[in-house]
Amino acid sequence: MKRLLVLIMALAMTLSLAACGGSNAAPVAVPSTPEQVEVEFTEEQQALAEDFMSMAEEYDAIADKVNASPELLENEELVTAMNDLADEIIKADECFASPETLTPEVMGALTVAIEVGRTFIAEANAALEEIGH
């Protein structure tokens, strides 16, 4: 259970670092004409978004397993950590709102967060199987 909690906290910290925080880049100029210029996502950005969504769905499956276990739901630390982690996933998801927010730095941080998320999911699955869930 302690390993599970440590992994949850590590993922939460990683995702908070990846969440579209401030940037030192110059502001993007808005066209002076009333027409909006539509920018499309690159293939790399789309692939990252698909990978992130896949990881988030896997996390949801783990959360469903925890929610189905009354004994796990009694563990306030675990429930709080899972809720905090879900909040961080939601924040990171906001990075995919537009192509401009997916700078190379943000994409790199999100890639690390996805890897950490997948590690957490694997460890959480192993821990849940160990206790019979």
Side-chain angles (χ1 to χ4, degrees), residues 54-77:
S54 173
M55 183 273 303
E57 289 170 358
E58 293 168 18
Y59 171 81
D60 286 344
I62 291 294
D64 289 344
K65 288 180 182 180
V66 170
N67 287 331
S69 170
E71 64 193 46
L72 291 176
L73 288 175
E74 289 177 7
N75 185 329
E76 289 182 39
E77 278 184 270

Side-chain angles (χ1 to χ4, degrees), residues 14-79:
T14 302
L15 288 175
S16 67
L17 290 174
C20 306
S23 171
N24 292 335
V28 176
V30 177
S32 58
T33 62
E35 298 175 19
Q36 292 292 328
V37 176
E38 191 171 314
V39 180
E40 293 186 23
F41 288 92
T42 66
E43 287 183 31
E44 185 181 17
Q45 290 170 330
Q46 290 174 353
L48 183 65
E50 290 171 10
D51 197 24
F52 179 80
M53 288 304 298
S54 173
M55 183 273 303
E57 289 170 358
E58 293 168 18
Y59 171 81
D60 286 344
I62 291 294
D64 289 344
K65 288 180 182 180
V66 170
N67 287 331
S69 170
E71 64 193 46
L72 291 176
L73 288 175
E74 289 177 7
N75 185 329
E76 289 182 39
E77 278 184 270
L78 176 62
V79 171

Side-chain angles (χ1 to χ4, degrees), residues 18 48 51 106-116:
L48 183 65
D51 197 24
V106 170
M107 290 180 67
L110 286 168
T111 300
V112 171
I114 291 167
E115 290 172 11
V116 171

